[in-house]
Amino acid sequence: MMELIKELPEVFEEFAQQRKNSFLALKEIKDQGTPVVGAYCTYFPREIAMAMGAVTVGLCSTSDETIPDAEKDLPKNLCPLIKSSYGFAVTDKCPFFYFSDVVVGETTCDGKKKMYEYMADFKRVFLMELPNTQNPTALELWKSEIIRFKEYLEQEFNTTITETSVRDAIRTENRARLALKKLYAVMRHDPAPIKGHDLWKVLYGSGFKFDRNRIPDEVDALTAKIEKEYAEGKMEEKKPRILITGCPIGGAPEKVIRAIEDNGGIVVTFENCSGAKSVDKLVDEDNPDVYDALARRYLDIGCSVMTPNPNRLELLGRLIEEYKVDGVVEMTLQACHTYNVETLAIRRFVNEKMGLPYIHIETDYSQADIGQLNTRLTAFLEML
């Protein structure tokens, strides 16, 4: 269990450094003969890989460092997340990618589908056919894809994945999700107990903890410490409470969080992939069909690739009410067509249904627009 005597800033920084610290840890895991399965997306059903004893890891995709290398093969006007993913892969600059025995992709968008096709030239890739709607037919397809993934791992790694081991993995992941939900729930306090960027460090860093059984105790200890200090009067100043929604926000796009909190706001909740969206719903442990349970949980994720996409609006509305949000900032990446097109629906929902101010920020992985971000977000916060 995490030492409660540590100061909160030190704990937050430990989570922030978790990704870098995991490079060596993954090499040790690999040297022990443990399989490593890499993935990029929240739709990845990690419980299947965990059930065969594999370690799962999120792959590098949040820096502009390797985008020039990617643009030798890919169009310049492609989403930076895709170019970053491919660039780190093709240059072998991502240790997580290097140590992965197989990379699991998903057909979330056209750009990623073609990227995985090229990636398969130099890495073992398993592509899951993700339906782009959420109905009974789509559910059956997604369930069959999860079973196909299970069978693929059994064949490639000469192992057997039992229903019991899948259920054990589901319980482990559900406990981790519950702990993270309790952590970000501390931001319901008004004023907020901590900065949103510190919360983000934990949410993002927890994805790089390979022993998933350790997450609940560590995160619960952190939650208890935050609540204790809040009860003692340690909290942030009262500021406009912001919800961030849109594209994945780890790495380079964290500049949006900083721009909000450096200019008078505080981010109290994240709807994005590594925020509430990834842990909000649990897998039903009582469902007698374990693969149906997994399929339902993952297919219900409210990503903009889904048409229609009511689950995203349901989660947004719930977060706005529970966290007493004053304004919504939507961050999208250039050339991310599904999220950029869906900004109209989100603006209408926030303005008309929830009665709140909304601003859309479109950006990329460079730092060139930081001045503009500061100007626009300062004006937005002053309006609140």
Side-chain angles (χ1 to χ4, degrees):
M1 182 177 291
M2 183 180 297
E3 293 286 345
L4 288 181
I5 58 173
K6 289 182 179 177
E7 294 297 314
L8 284 179
E10 184 182 357
V11 178
F12 294 139
E13 199 54 38
E14 283 182 3
F15 275 94
Q17 294 298 316
Q18 182 63 42
R19 181 174 168 274
K20 290 180 181 178
N21 296 340
S22 296
F23 292 159
L24 289 176
L26 192 62
K27 182 183 184 303
E28 293 175 5
I29 288 168
K30 187 74 173 176
D31 288 345
Q32 293 167 6
T34 302
V36 177
V37 178
Y40 293 98
C41 186
T42 308
Y43 284 105
F44 165 57
R46 67 163 76 228
E47 289 90 341
I48 298 297
M50 290 167 59
M52 78 160 189
V55 159
T56 62
V57 64
L59 301 177
C60 309
S61 62
T62 60
S63 164
D64 62 354
E65 177 187 347
T66 61
I67 284 180
D69 297 291
E71 289 176 344
K72 295 175 183 177
D73 295 343
L74 302 177
K76 284 184 168 58
N77 63 344
L78 192 61
C79 161
L81 185 149
I82 297 173
K83 290 190 291 186
S84 178
S85 302
Y86 183 81
F88 274 106
V90 76
T91 60
D92 239 354
K93 289 183 177 178
C94 175
F96 298 142
F97 186 91
Y98 176 82
F99 288 120
S100 291
D101 294 290
V102 59
V103 170
V104 180
E106 73 305 315
T107 57
T108 42
C109 73
D110 292 339
K112 288 179 80 175
K113 284 191 288 189
K114 301 308 291 185
M115 178 199 71
Y116 289 130
E117 187 177 321
Y118 293 140
M119 190 180 286
D121 290 339
F122 53 88
K123 193 71 172 183
R124 186 159 49 169
V125 174
F126 181 84
L127 188 63
M128 299 186 73
E129 187 70 34
L130 177 72
N132 293 145
T133 190
Q134 295 160 325
N135 57 37
T137 303
L139 179 64
E140 284 303 309
L141 171 59
W142 189 231
K143 175 184 171 182
S144 70
E145 285 296 283
I146 290 175
I147 293 171
R148 187 171 70 89
F149 176 44
K150 165 191 164 300
E151 292 171 346
Y152 169 84
L153 292 179
E154 288 177 324
Q155 180 178 344
E156 290 295 313
F157 294 93
N158 191 27
T159 189
T160 299
I161 298 174
T162 66
E163 186 173 311
T164 299
S165 63
V166 175
R167 290 194 182 279
D168 287 344
I170 287 172
R171 283 190 287 270
T172 296
E173 273 305 292
N174 275 350
R175 286 182 63 238
R177 291 182 185 114
L178 279 171
L180 291 168
K181 286 182 72 171
K182 285 191 291 184
L183 170 68
Y184 70 69
V186 302
M187 301 301 275
R188 291 175 180 169
H189 288 303
D190 188 10
I194 60 174
K195 292 187 181 298
H197 200 193
D198 287 332
L199 172 66
W200 184 257
K201 291 172 185 176
V202 181
L203 294 174
Y204 186 68
S206 64
F208 298 96
K209 287 189 175 289
F210 301 134
D211 185 350
R212 307 296 292 177
N213 284 297
R214 292 179 57 189
I215 292 177
D217 284 347
E218 292 190 8
V219 174
D220 285 346
L222 174 57
T223 303
K225 185 168 179 62
I226 293 170
E227 291 285 10
K228 178 177 180 292
E229 293 198 0
Y230 192 81
E232 295 168 351
K234 296 180 181 178
M235 60 190 70
E236 295 296 309
E237 295 177 22
K238 191 167 176 61
K239 299 174 181 177
R241 298 167 65 83
I242 302 300
L243 177 151
I244 295 184
T245 184
C247 289
I249 204 169
E254 287 181 45
K255 61 187 176 182
V256 176
I257 306 175
R258 288 191 291 270
I260 292 169
E261 300 202 322
D262 287 348
N263 291 290
I266 190 153
V267 182
V268 293
T269 185
F270 300 88
E271 185 269 343
N272 317 67
C273 290
S274 295
K277 185 178 292 180
S278 64
V279 298
D280 181 61
K281 294 186 177 179
L282 306 183
V283 179
D284 181 3
E285 297 179 19
D286 296 324
N287 189 329
D289 185 338
V290 69
Y291 301 106
D292 178 78
L294 282 170
R296 288 177 185 276
R297 186 269 168 193
Y298 280 96
L299 192 64
D300 273 352
I301 294 170
C303 178
S304 66
V305 300
M306 293 295 168
T307 301
N309 190 17
N311 291 351
R312 184 181 180 197
L313 299 183
E314 187 278 329
L315 177 57
L316 268 175
R318 186 153 40 88
L319 292 174
I320 286 171
E321 291 179 347
E322 291 178 2
Y323 291 82
K324 300 185 282 291
V325 169
D326 297 312
V328 172
V329 174
E330 178 158 26
M331 190 284 295
T332 65
L333 297 171
Q334 291 174 1
C336 180
H337 300 313
T338 58
Y339 270 105
N340 278 311
V341 171
E342 199 166 88
T343 56
L344 173 62
I346 301 304
R347 175 173 59 80
R348 285 174 173 170
F349 177 78
V350 173
N351 286 164
E352 299 169 15
K353 180 71 181 295
M354 305 307 296
L356 289 180
Y358 163 95
I359 187 172
H360 171 215
I361 301 291
E362 185 179 12
T363 187
D364 58 14
Y365 281 0
S366 76
Q367 302 300 304
D369 62 349
I370 286 179
Q372 183 190 62
L373 284 177
N374 283 321
T375 300
R376 291 188 65 200
L377 288 168
T378 297
F380 180 70
L381 292 164
E382 287 176 351
M383 179 185 70
L384 300 182

